[in-house]
Amino acid sequence: MSGDTGITGMLGRFWRKVVDHFEDYEINREALLNRLSLLIILAAGIMIRLFSLMKGYDPLIKAFDPYVQLVSAEYISENGFIAFIHWFKDNSWYPYGFQPGRELYWGVPVSAVIIKGLLGLFSIDVTITQVAYFSPVFYGFFTILAAYFLGKESVSNRTGIFTAFFMAFSPAFVSRSTAGFFDNESVGILFTVLTLYFFIRAIKRGGTVSSFLAGISLALLIGSWGAYRYVLDLLPLAAFFLVLTRKLTWKLIKAYTITIATALSIGFLVPRVMINKFTNIEVMIPVLMIGFLILVGIVQNLSRSLGEKTFKQITIIGAITVLILITALITVFLSLGLFSNIAAKFWAVILPGNRAAIPIISSVSEHQPMTWAELFNSIHIMMFLIPLGLYYCIKKPTDVNIILLTLGVTTIYFSGSMVRLVLLLSPAASLLSALAIDKLLYTYSLSAHGKIALTKRKLRITKSIGRDEAIVAYLVIFGLLVTFTFHSINLAEQYGQSEMAPVLYQQIGVPTSDWQEALLWLRNNAQGQGIVANSPSVVLSWWDYGYWITNYGNATSLVDNATTNKTQIAMVGTMLMWNFTESVKLMYKYNIKYVLVNSQAGIPGLGSDLGKALWCIRIAEDAVPRYGITEETFYGLNDAETQYEYRSPFYSSVLYRLSAYDKDTGFAFPESEGSPISSQPQLLTDAINNPVYDLTGPDGLTYFKEVFRSYGLALDVSESRKYPLVRIYEVIYPENIEQLSAEVNYNYPELE
């Protein structure tokens, strides 16, 4: 059989037809490369966020706050959304309780239920916990995609690709969108990027739909994350700068008005947002800006249609009238108490110098000012590219570039003020860095292809830039991007660990299970009758672990991570700092049955309560000074005035004694470096002289009984529970505790 009629001939004819068919199409290599690059970036972005699974870690929810989001999502899934709004959670903030439907943002738990429902439509059966674990990766994927469109709309396709790349690997963003980080930030950044994208699109194109989508994105942000305040006030600030630079157009007025009106109309349906009141200054600023833009627009039109003299007269009269009206309205609103001020927490960001006066805010490590090392760790090479991006925005001050300039400068300021807000800097840093690289490489590209000549006259160099120099520039940028990628991958391994099960021994690489052991013990043992009739078994601990205790351990806690009641947190600090005899008097008033201490075997750097003791003292002194807890009493310079240390009363405190107690050795601490009984005891310089062999008070009575100690720092079974990380004690009250507790108010009267 000949080649033309056989199978080979048939395949040959088929291949020629395929080739002839595709020769009719013009393949755009740049578009193809663009889409291929985006797909690779998206795939890499997913992989780096699933690092915990790739390392073989248990799929645990990360951090502290996500646990209340998880329980809320489970409640909505089982009982419905209306029931969630009215849900009263009586095992939080005992005895006051907590209403998650009214005091939490809805975005994260509701979105998890929606995702579960959508998967169910395709017969994919998943649990809420599984959705909670993977949904941050889902949000991260769409944020990277949204960042691409933001960069594309703001500058070019190339900028879009680089923006997506930086968002995919930005350590600041990866830390909040890694698998298991089921909290407000993971979805909040997505809505932040979408708001900016649609708003810029609306300004450029004047589209009504884009304006509405910007408003809806901002509304979803308002209902999802407390940092909505930044974006809500960023838009009027950017609009104000556009007015100052004489770039006000009806497109801007239309886009801004629709965006703000839509966002506030929908966003304020969330009870957590309504608490802040519509008359709050941070809300009134964007609302009043609508009137300001319309007024300036009218003035601009009048300037074109009236004579110069008439226009000046009308402008002066109008300005005076408006000023009088605004002054009168502000006076009336303030006198009636209708204007509410910005919360102290947010003033501390705007004016960081006042933060030291608010211990409850300063006590959180994420609320500290940014250091250069932390900034480099969070955004890496973008730290050096941002100034160049800002330069290009200043050099060509278009409408979009002024918005980017405002975004960049404000996020740099706020992230410098508070470490936690480096997350807000991440999209701005990615966009500005992408802009800088795009402008640099585009110029070298044109020069290398002979389309422009960069000579001494333009760049003040001794020769023209040719292909060799362009190749070097490309290689340098490529090298920087590679180092950025490896830096992010290294950090992703850390972010993949759950705070509930950290890896303490890197050479072994096995996560500890101490916290899970402790919380499961509470779940099985702290559910019965409390110390008085009809009361629960209340657990006393520092507020950091409140969400874990109530939502994972299903026990009742006094305080948690919501930090809604500063006075109650201060009372906990007081009980932890007092000695046994005095402390149990207050414990009885709150029906405390168990005390949980996070001793971390006394090792610094692991987040132990011993390291947080200073904040227990400061918050107690600030909020409940009547009980006599002062920093001067517990902490200060040593006699030689060479270093700060804890003083004698601290070693009698509940916190220290329950952390150190060991009936055999007097210390549940190893002698490793940094331990309180090592040669470098940090602040606990006198710990070696204060062993704890028993749990008796100054009166000789035993007040506590150890009921649980975790596995602890142990490389083998022989050392297990010798140096526990988490410990739980049961309170033993004296027979006359009712009388002693009643005398507390008499012994510690309110200060005048």
Side-chain angles (χ1 to χ4, degrees):
M1 187 178 289
S2 65
D4 291 337
T5 58
I7 294 177
T8 306
M10 291 174 61
L11 291 175
R13 287 193 299 272
F14 174 75
W15 177 251
R16 283 194 296 271
K17 286 182 179 180
V18 171
V19 172
D20 292 341
H21 175 76
F22 281 100
E23 282 181 349
D24 295 334
Y25 294 91
E26 181 180 349
I27 299 177
N28 188 326
R29 287 184 298 175
E30 183 179 351
L32 181 63
L33 184 61
N34 186 289
R35 285 162 176 74
L36 182 61
S37 299
L38 181 59
L39 286 174
I40 294 172
I41 290 169
L42 290 170
I46 292 174
M47 291 176 64
I48 197 172
R49 285 161 175 79
L50 291 173
F51 210 90
S52 55
L53 286 183
M54 296 168 64
K55 289 287 291 185
Y57 298 152
D58 289 338
L60 294 173
I61 300 299
K62 306 291 190 299
F64 301 97
D65 293 8
Y67 281 87
V68 74
Q69 306 283 8
L70 172 61
V71 171
S72 298
E74 289 174 339
Y75 190 90
I76 296 171
S77 180
E78 295 171 4
N79 301 280
F81 183 69
I82 300 301
F84 170 68
I85 296 176
H86 300 286
W87 180 28
F88 181 80
K89 203 167 182 290
D90 58 5
N91 67 343
S92 297
W93 292 98
Y94 180 84
Y96 307 106
F98 181 68
Q99 292 181 281
R102 298 178 181 274
E103 299 185 53
L104 294 178
Y105 292 100
W106 291 349
V108 171
V110 171
S111 64
V113 175
I114 292 173
I115 292 172
K116 183 178 184 295
L118 291 174
L119 292 174
L121 294 176
F122 296 96
S123 299
I124 303 175
D125 187 22
V126 293
T127 65
I128 282 292
T129 302
Q130 290 170 330
V131 173
Y133 183 78
F134 288 104
S135 60
V137 182
F138 174 83
Y139 303 140
F141 173 87
F142 281 101
T143 304
I144 297 167
L145 190 60
Y148 163 75
F149 285 106
L150 174 60
K152 178 182 176 182
E153 189 68 37
S154 300
V155 187
S156 67
N157 285 334
R158 299 179 303 276
T159 300
I161 288 294
F162 283 117
T163 304
F165 170 80
F166 282 120
M167 282 300 288
F169 290 98
S170 169
F173 181 51
V174 170
S175 67
R176 291 300 192 268
S177 57
T178 189
F181 195 88
F182 185 62
D183 205 6
N184 299 331
E185 294 95 324
S186 60
V187 70
I189 288 296
L190 170 60
F191 294 137
T192 298
V193 174
L194 286 175
T195 301
L196 293 172
Y197 165 66
F198 286 120
F199 185 70
I200 289 174
R201 183 182 176 89
I203 289 176
K204 288 180 67 177
R205 308 188 186 193
T208 303
V209 174
S210 294
S211 301
F212 274 116
L213 290 174
I216 292 171
S217 299
L218 182 53
L220 292 172
L221 174 61
I222 291 173
S224 302
W225 190 23
Y228 75 82
R229 294 167 175 84
Y230 168 73
V231 181
L232 186 62
D233 289 324
L234 170 70
L235 298 186
L237 183 62
F240 180 69
F241 286 136
L242 287 172
V243 171
L244 290 182
T245 53
R246 298 184 179 182
K247 295 185 181 298
L248 180 65
T249 63
W250 287 109
K251 287 182 181 180
L252 171 61
I253 297 174
K254 174 185 173 182
Y256 181 85
T257 302
I258 294 175
T259 298
I260 296 299
T262 304
L264 295 181
S265 299
I266 300 174
F268 266 77
L269 297 176
V270 180
R272 176 68 178 83
V273 180
M274 291 176 66
I275 294 173
N276 298 325
K277 299 180 182 178
F278 188 80
T279 53
N280 192 293
I281 293 176
E282 64 202 23
V283 178
M284 291 305 296
I285 288 174
V287 172
L288 294 174
M289 182 56 67
I290 294 175
F292 176 75
L293 293 178
I294 294 173
L295 183 62
V296 174
I298 293 172
V299 171
Q300 282 186 352
N301 283 344
L302 288 175
S303 67
R304 299 189 189 101
S305 58
L306 298 176
E308 184 178 351
K309 184 177 180 181
T310 306
F311 173 70
K312 284 184 178 180
Q313 292 175 344
I314 292 176
T315 302
I316 293 171
I317 295 171
I320 294 173
T321 304
V322 170
L323 184 62
I324 292 172
L325 287 173
I326 291 176
T327 304
L329 284 172
I330 291 175
T331 303
V332 171
F333 273 50
L334 287 175
S335 62
L336 295 176
L338 297 178
F339 266 146
S340 55
N341 203 350
I342 298 174
K345 179 178 178 179
F346 300 101
W347 269 124
V349 178
I350 299 170
L351 301 172
N354 298 331
R355 192 177 305 155
I358 315 174
I360 193 66
I361 295 176
S362 302
S363 65
V364 182
S365 59
E366 289 185 335
H367 292 173
Q368 301 305 311
M370 177 78 74
T371 65
W372 285 109
E374 289 168 327
L375 181 62
F376 182 76
N377 198 52
S378 298
I379 62 174
H380 203 249
I381 63 168
M382 291 190 285
M383 181 176 172
F384 308 106
L385 293 171
I386 289 172
L388 188 57
L390 293 174
Y391 164 75
Y392 283 121
C393 289
I394 295 171
K395 184 179 179 181
K396 190 178 181 181
T398 62
D399 294 7
V400 173
N401 283 352
I402 288 174
I403 295 174
L404 299 187
L405 188 62
T406 307
L407 173 69
V409 172
T410 51
T411 51
I412 289 170
Y413 175 80
F414 290 130
S415 62
S417 173
M418 186 177 285
V419 173
R420 184 176 185 176
L421 296 182
V422 73
L423 179 61
L424 279 176
L425 175 61
S426 186
S430 299
L431 185 51
L432 290 170
S433 298
L435 171 62
I437 290 179
D438 181 18
K439 295 296 183 182
L440 278 174
L441 294 186
Y442 185 64
T443 303
Y444 276 103
S445 175
L446 292 178
S447 175
H449 288 83
K451 295 183 179 180
I452 64 170
L454 301 180
T455 62
K456 179 179 178 181
R457 183 177 179 182
K458 289 185 178 180
L459 297 181
R460 298 182 181 179
I461 56 178
T462 57
K463 63 177 182 177
S464 297
I465 294 178
R467 185 180 299 273
D468 293 342
E469 288 80 1
I471 291 174
V472 171
Y474 272 81
L475 288 176
V476 169
I477 295 297
F478 177 76
L480 291 174
L481 296 181
V482 169
T483 59
F484 173 70
T485 303
F486 280 107
H487 172 76
S488 301
I489 291 173
N490 288 334
L491 289 179
E493 182 175 1
Q494 299 177 26
Y495 301 146
Q497 299 180 30
S498 172
E499 285 77 357
M500 189 177 284
V503 178
L504 300 183
Y505 293 105
Q506 294 295 336
Q507 67 270 29
I508 300 176
V510 178
T512 60
S513 59
D514 291 61
W515 268 109
Q516 290 168 287
E517 291 178 37
L519 296 171
L520 286 173
W521 188 94
L522 290 175
R523 187 184 296 179
N524 294 324
N525 297 277
Q527 309 302 317
Q529 181 76 19
I531 62 172
V532 295
N534 300 318
S535 72
S537 298
V538 183
V539 180
L540 171 69
S541 76
W542 191 232
W543 64 262
D544 289 26
Y545 329 113
Y547 279 157
W548 283 358
I549 291 170
T550 56
N551 299 298
Y552 193 103
N554 197 30
T556 301
S557 68
L558 279 183
V559 293
D560 62 35
N561 309 63
T563 62
T564 54
N565 188 332
K566 183 174 72 172
T567 301
Q568 187 134 315
I569 293 174
M571 293 300 293
V572 170
T574 300
M575 287 184 272
L576 291 175
M577 287 300 105
W578 268 357
N579 62 39
F580 286 179
T581 305
E582 293 299 304
S583 183
V584 295
K585 298 176 185 177
L586 274 182
M587 289 183 186
Y588 186 78
K589 294 172 72 69
Y590 287 96
N591 295 330
I592 304 297
K593 186 172 183 178
Y594 299 107
V595 178
L596 181 150
V597 291
N598 179 30
S599 62
Q600 294 295 308
I603 304 299
L606 299 183
S608 76
D609 285 341
L610 292 172
K612 300 169 185 174
L614 184 57
W615 295 111
C616 298
I617 296 166
R618 288 174 176 172
I619 293 172
E621 181 179 8
D622 176 62
V624 287
R626 64 185 287 192
Y627 295 111
I629 300 295
T630 63
E631 183 174 338
E632 183 180 4
T633 303
F634 288 85
Y635 177 80
L637 284 170
N638 59 13
D639 293 337
E641 296 188 353
T642 55
Q643 76 169 78
Y644 283 92
E645 62 181 10
Y646 286 116
R647 292 173 173 167
S648 179
F650 177 78
Y651 297 101
S652 300
S653 69
V654 168
L655 178 57
Y656 172 76
R657 296 196 66 193
L658 296 189
S659 297
Y661 167 71
D662 188 273
K663 65 179 181 180
D664 297 321
T665 65
F667 295 108
F669 306 142
E671 296 183 4
S672 56
E673 183 179 352
S675 165
I677 58 174
S678 69
S679 59
Q680 296 178 325
Q682 308 292 322
L683 299 175
L684 297 166
T685 54
D686 202 33
I688 192 67
N689 299 318
N690 288 276
V692 183
Y693 294 99
D694 56 59
L695 298 172
T696 58
D699 53 6
L701 296 177
T702 299
Y703 286 96
F704 295 93
K705 178 178 71 173
E706 186 175 29
V707 293
F708 171 83
R709 61 162 59 190
S710 66
Y711 189 85
L713 297 179
L715 292 175
D716 54 58
V717 178
S718 63
E719 294 183 337
S720 65
R721 309 195 189 281
K722 188 176 181 181
Y723 308 120
L725 304 184
V726 186
R727 313 180 73 172
I728 301 174
Y729 294 84
E730 184 176 353
V731 185
I732 302 174
Y733 291 102
E735 293 182 358
N736 63 335
I737 185 59
E738 291 185 13
Q739 176 186 345
L740 295 173
S741 181
E743 293 173 354
V744 170
N745 287 339
Y746 176 79
N747 295 332
Y748 299 94
E750 290 281 0
L751 299 178
E752 297 182 0

